[in-house]
Amino acid sequence: MIRWKSLSKFAPSYLQLSRCIHYVQGQSPSPKVREYFYYIDHQGQLFLDDTKVKNFITCFKDKQFLAFFFRMLKKNNTDRYKVDFPYISLCGIERNFVRCDDRPIVYSHILHVPNDDEPNQIKDVLSYGGTADKLTVDFEPEKLCMLPQSGRIYHPAKPKVGGVGLIKSSLAIEISKCFEFGEAGEYAPPTHFTWKNKRYELTNELWDLMEDDAKEELKIQ
C-alpha cells in the first residue's frame, strides 16, 4: 500500500487529496502485463512514485529512456488508476501510470534551433522531459499564460497530455520580466509579452483547458 499527499497549494484540485493507493511496482494484473507507477514533480523530473526522497539524485536521467517515456505519455484512458494516475506511458507489455505535481509536461529551457521551414533562419523551441533537444515544441510567446496568485506560467502542450505544459520555475523567473500587466495590475493575468523586441498580446487561450481552481485565478476582478 502506498500513501501519498500533495502539499502544493497551487496543485490541480485532483492532487490536493490524501489517498491510499494499493499497488506493487511491477505487478501483473493479467498475463503478459506489468504495471509501474511514476511521479513527475514541478521541475519536470521523473521518479518512481514510491521513491521516498525525490531529488536530482533519485530522478531518472537517461535521455533515451526519458525521450521514449515522454513521447508515449498521454491521458490515462484505461479503467485502472484513472483518478489517482491521470496519465499513462505505454511500453510493450508495460503500463506506466503517471501522476504529477502540476502538469506532466514541464518546459525547462528555450533552445535556438534551425528552422526547417525557413532555410538559414533560427527559431525558438521549448525543451521538456529532461532530454535536451530530443523533445521540443515551438515556442509561442503569445500563448503564454501566467496565473497571478501562484506566479506559475503555462504554455501549450500536445492535446494528448491535456494541452497545457508548465514552465519550469527557473525559466519562469528568467522570462517573467518580459510580461506586461494591464490596468487591473498584477492581481490579474498579464496582457502582453515582449520577446526579441516584439510585443505580443497574450491570448490566454489556455484558460479553457485549466482546472476550475486555476480558472478562478484567471478571472479579472
Side-chain angles (χ1 to χ4, degrees):
M1 177 183 73
I2 303 298
R3 179 181 178 87
W4 59 266
K5 182 177 182 180
S6 173
L7 299 179
S8 175
K9 177 180 178 182
F10 304 110
S13 57
Y14 60 79
L15 291 182
Q16 294 183 22
L17 300 177
S18 176
R19 303 179 184 275
C20 289
I21 309 171
H22 297 266
Y23 69 73
V24 176
Q25 294 284 10
Q27 66 190 21
S28 182
S30 59
K32 297 183 179 180
V33 172
R34 297 290 183 192
E35 294 180 335
Y36 296 90
F37 301 82
Y38 292 83
Y39 172 76
I40 300 171
D41 70 5
H42 67 281
Q43 303 294 339
Q45 298 176 125
L46 178 69
F47 305 87
L48 284 173
D49 184 62
D50 51 353
T51 300
K52 292 184 178 179
V53 179
K54 295 180 173 67
N55 55 37
F56 180 74
I57 295 175
T58 59
C59 71
F60 288 91
K61 303 178 188 66
D62 184 88
K63 288 182 171 58
Q64 184 174 352
F65 165 76
L66 290 169
F68 184 84
F69 187 96
F70 279 97
R71 193 174 288 120
M72 300 301 293
L73 190 65
K74 63 180 182 178
K75 287 185 176 181
N76 182 1
N77 57 3
T78 73
D79 59 356
R80 293 180 63 77
Y81 303 100
K82 193 170 185 177
V83 174
D84 299 303
F85 291 85
Y87 306 94
I88 190 171
S89 179
L90 301 176
C91 177
I93 66 171
E94 294 181 6
R95 297 174 184 167
N96 300 307
F97 295 98
V98 182
R99 67 181 183 94
C100 51
D101 175 64
D102 190 330
R103 303 285 166 174
I105 302 302
V106 180
Y107 300 114
S108 58
H109 298 86
I110 297 177
L111 305 179
H112 314 295
V113 300
N115 190 337
D116 294 335
D117 296 328
E118 298 182 30
N120 302 319
Q121 296 295 316
I122 299 296
K123 67 176 181 179
D124 297 326
V125 297
L126 289 168
S127 170
Y128 65 95
T131 63
D133 60 352
K134 293 183 181 297
L135 294 176
T136 62
V137 299
D138 288 349
F139 182 40
E140 301 177 271
E142 71 279 6
K143 296 182 180 179
L144 289 169
C145 179
M146 177 192 285
L147 299 187
Q149 183 179 349
S150 66
R152 290 192 173 183
I153 302 173
Y154 299 86
H155 182 277
K158 294 181 179 180
K160 69 175 185 176
V161 290
V164 182
L166 174 69
I167 300 292
K168 185 179 177 179
S169 57
S170 57
L171 179 57
I173 292 171
E174 182 180 336
I175 66 173
S176 62
K177 61 181 180 292
C178 301
F179 285 102
E180 178 183 331
F181 293 84
E183 295 181 357
E186 295 184 2
Y187 294 100
T191 58
H192 294 80
F193 184 85
T194 299
W195 183 251
K196 292 187 173 179
N197 298 319
K198 183 175 180 179
R199 186 170 180 258
Y200 296 87
E201 182 176 359
L202 297 175
T203 65
N204 281 331
E205 63 189 67
L206 297 184
W207 187 338
D208 292 334
L209 299 177
M210 297 286 188
E211 283 78 19
D212 289 341
D213 51 354
K215 287 181 181 179
E216 287 299 318
E217 284 199 52
L218 285 169
K219 291 181 179 178
I220 301 177
Q221 303 297 326

